[in-house]
Amino acid sequence: MKIDALTLREIHVRLKSPFETSFGKIWERRILLVEAGSEGLSGWGEVTAGEGPFYNPETTDTSWSIFCSFVAPLAIGKDIEGPGDVPALLAPIRGHEMTKAAFENALWDIESQRRGTPLALLLGGSAREIACGVSLGIQNNPGALLSIIERELAAGYQRIKIKIKPGKDLEFIAAVRKRFPAVRLMVDANSAYHLEQAAHLREFDAYDLMMIEQPLAWDDIYDHSKLQSQLRTPICLDESIHNASHARAAIELGACRIINIKLGRVGGHSEACRMQEICRQRSIPVWSGGMLETGIGRAHNIAMSSLPGFTLPGDVSASQRYWDEDIIEPEVEVTPKGTIVVPTIPGLGYSVRRKRIEQLTVRQQAFHAKDSEVSVEGAA
Ligand code: OSB
Ligand code: MG
């Protein structure tokens, strides 16, 4: 597979409604898309970095810079066996997993087309449908949260995740549990607590939560092991797990009983496959997180979620929950029983709406392999 061309685009898209986590509120998204060209085929990946370094250290702008200065020059013109070679190719670049993932995943899209094999199958997935949950941002009051949950359950979603932070936790959890005694419920703290608050977090045990996601620091594993031993509720790690060896360390330390796999956070499909395998061997369930992606990121999440380790409902939901108009067609839809049907056509499984992407693009940079030279052309 020769990497003939790479195009990086920044698009601006507005969420249907603002999304609030313990680290802030977001409405307008600045998203980078990577398009790769190889032997006449084109493939797409999405950078899942946030606008600011609040979830992890990457941002839209650091990703732009790393991609243009380091990823593209390393990759352009190279002839590799396939996308499985990308982690080794990009190994000189430390960190920046979300930037690397967008590039690697674009090549998986191409590889799937080249082989005529659906992406899910190519990755080792066998599920025909994936189970879907929703992630709900922090609301002003429990009443507002209850009405949103009512709507999402009516749409069929199989599990509810609510974002929490100190001062916006127990009251909300108790209200949801009272109103929906049997719903599969979990919470996500995005690192808003400290180990010293273990007694407070222990109170969550009374509400039959499936898990509490990332209660402690974004880069911590050890304190989570101290906390897990004091809680009945399983801890799920998100932010702290960047690769398969972090997953192994967390499991062996007893820092979590569940892991959220995000393609961007772990650097792409190759590492995600390894992680789910390590977790499966140790009977640790995994599920796919989300990063408020457009359809391109969503399509990759769907393919990944078809792998056998993904036994819990993920944060992969319908396009229409986030966007008035997605950049793929058909848009991602959820069945009345709360599933997404895994596409069976090669590539992303959806077509990319190139015209719409062009309309949304605010800057782009293209890289071409011309014999041994690299040419760069940009447009603001
Ligand atoms: O921690 O899972 C998270 C969104 C932005 C940053 C972090 C997270 C999230 C979500 C959104 O929970 C999930 C989705 O895309 O539906
Ligand atoms: Mg999370």
Side-chain angles (χ1 to χ4, degrees), residues 361-376:
T361 297
V362 298
R363 55 173 169 165
Q364 70 178 50
Q365 181 95 44
F367 303 81
H368 298 281
K370 287 190 183 126
D371 301 320
S372 58
E373 271 167 66
V374 173
S375 78
V376 179

Side-chain angles (χ1 to χ4, degrees), residues 243-322:
N243 54 52
S245 66
H246 287 171
R248 192 167 45 77
I251 296 166
E252 290 181 9
L253 277 168
C256 64
R257 296 190 199 132
I258 299 171
I259 292 179
N260 163 341
I261 299 185
K262 288 182 180 165
L263 270 174
R265 197 191 71 230
V266 308
H269 282 301
S270 302
E271 195 64 18
C273 285
R274 271 194 284 280
M275 270 181 72
Q276 67 89 38
E277 184 55 28
I278 278 179
C279 291
R280 209 159 65 92
Q281 285 162 358
R282 291 163 175 76
S283 303
I284 296 292
V286 305
W287 53 278
S288 169
M291 290 296 293
L292 312 174
E293 290 96 339
T294 71
I296 290 175
R298 221 162 271 274
H300 281 290
N301 289 342
I302 293 166
M304 173 181 76
S305 302
S306 73
L307 289 162
F310 287 75
T311 55
L312 293 173
D315 280 345
V316 188
S317 56
S319 301
Q320 278 296 324
R321 290 193 61 249
Y322 291 108

Side-chain angles (χ1 to χ4, degrees), residues 70 107 113 126 137 140 161 228 247 294 301 307 314 323 344 372:
F70 301 103
L107 298 192
Q113 297 170 53
S126 50
N140 286 333
K161 156 167 145 183
Q228 180 67 89
T294 71
N301 289 342
L307 289 162
W323 315 112
T344 52
S372 58

Side-chain angles (χ1 to χ4, degrees), residues 55 161 163 188 190 213-214 238-239 260 262 287:
Y55 164 81
K161 156 167 145 183
K163 295 284 187 180
D188 186 355
N190 289 111
E213 187 177 345
Q214 196 72 32
D238 173 357
E239 280 88 330
N260 163 341
K262 288 182 180 165
W287 53 278

